Amino acid sequence: MYPNIYNSERIDLVKHLRNKSLPRQELVNHYNKHKSSQANQHPSHAYIETITICNYACKSCPQGHDEQKNIYIGKLRGTNIMSMNNFRDWTDQLISQSIHSIALYNTNEPLLDPMIFRRLEYLSDKNLDDILLMSNGLLMDSSNADRFLSSSLTKMCFSIDAATSKTYDKVRPLANTQTYSSELESRFDYVVDNIKQFAAKA
């Protein structure tokens, strides 16, 4: 889980940096002088990675580099899926600490989680402002689209990272060729069609 703190003073500091080109120490002094109790508030958003696997091995992700992936998963002691009991405990704890937005993804493909719809059902009565997913879209067929659109999910994001099939295949190779039907002419076109179909149903 990766909490994300929204802090307007940090944003102001970045804007100040862009506009003034001041020395770093002066910027740090400026921030320390003007920061308030807001800097110590609880995070409002959290990422929960419920499964550590992906069907892609993208060049820009630890999933696409064996050494980084092994180190990453090694830190989790080999566990590749979060149990529902742990999921309930973690989300309840986060919500009790003022978290009101949860994203169920990180470096993984959340649609590979066999319990993803059970997790969304559990979050449905938690009065969260946002429940988000990020998917590469390969598994977003018509059936999955219908299930997600009738769930507690509030935002679905898709990542493509390419504008042509040739570039897509280069930057987004499959982690395992068995996860994809070779009968399909283009993964890129297939994913784009899945996203268009999802958008049409939404």
Side-chain angles (χ1 to χ4, degrees):
M1 289 173 288
Y2 301 90
N4 181 21
I5 299 175
Y6 176 82
N7 189 319
S8 62
E9 289 161 350
R10 291 178 185 266
I11 295 172
D12 290 342
L13 189 61
V14 171
K15 291 178 179 177
H16 193 61
L17 170 64
R18 289 174 178 168
N19 294 333
K20 298 296 183 181
S21 298
L22 296 175
R24 181 181 183 278
Q25 189 57 51
E26 187 173 341
L27 290 167
V28 171
N29 292 340
H30 171 82
Y31 171 72
N32 289 333
K33 180 179 178 181
H34 297 286
K35 69 180 180 180
S36 68
S37 59
Q38 185 183 24
N40 298 316
Q41 69 182 8
H42 286 294
S44 60
H45 175 74
Y47 290 86
I48 304 179
E49 187 175 73
T50 62
I51 192 168
T52 62
I53 59 176
C54 187
N55 46 7
Y56 279 1
C58 299
K59 306 297 185 181
S60 59
C61 177
Q63 297 280 1
H65 302 272
D66 289 339
E67 183 177 353
Q68 293 181 34
K69 184 176 179 179
N70 290 335
I71 292 173
Y72 176 64
I73 294 178
K75 290 180 179 179
L76 301 175
R77 299 178 182 175
T79 303
N80 64 8
I81 186 167
M82 182 183 288
S83 69
M84 276 301 298
N85 284 338
N86 283 346
F87 179 78
R88 294 187 190 101
D89 290 344
W90 278 111
T91 53
D92 287 351
Q93 181 179 340
L94 288 167
I95 292 168
S96 72
Q97 295 176 359
S98 301
I99 291 290
H100 53 78
S101 174
I102 291 178
L104 300 180
Y105 69 91
N106 187 35
T107 66
N108 62 333
E109 171 49 51
L111 273 65
L112 290 171
D113 182 351
M115 295 188 285
I116 190 64
F117 293 108
R118 287 179 62 192
R119 302 188 200 280
L120 291 171
E121 181 180 1
Y122 182 74
L123 295 177
S124 63
D125 62 351
K126 299 298 180 181
N127 296 318
L128 291 165
D129 293 338
D130 269 322
I131 304 171
L132 305 87
L133 282 184
M134 171 79 78
S135 171
N136 57 45
L138 188 62
L139 301 177
M140 188 57 76
D141 57 20
S142 179
S143 176
N144 275 335
D146 288 337
R147 294 186 71 183
F148 280 115
L149 288 169
S150 61
S151 73
S152 61
L153 192 69
T154 60
K155 288 187 177 71
M156 172 64 80
C157 305
F158 295 99
S159 56
I160 299 180
D161 292 349
T164 66
S165 181
K166 182 178 179 180
T167 303
Y168 187 83
D169 290 344
K170 183 177 181 180
V171 300
R172 295 211 147 188
L174 288 165
N176 184 338
T177 55
Q178 294 178 353
T179 64
Y180 167 72
S181 173
S182 59
E183 297 176 0
L184 297 172
E185 184 175 341
S186 165
R187 280 188 293 124
F188 175 77
D189 292 336
Y190 180 72
V191 167
V192 170
D193 286 344
N194 280 351
I195 296 171
K196 287 180 178 179
Q197 176 180 250
F198 184 91
K201 290 173 176 283

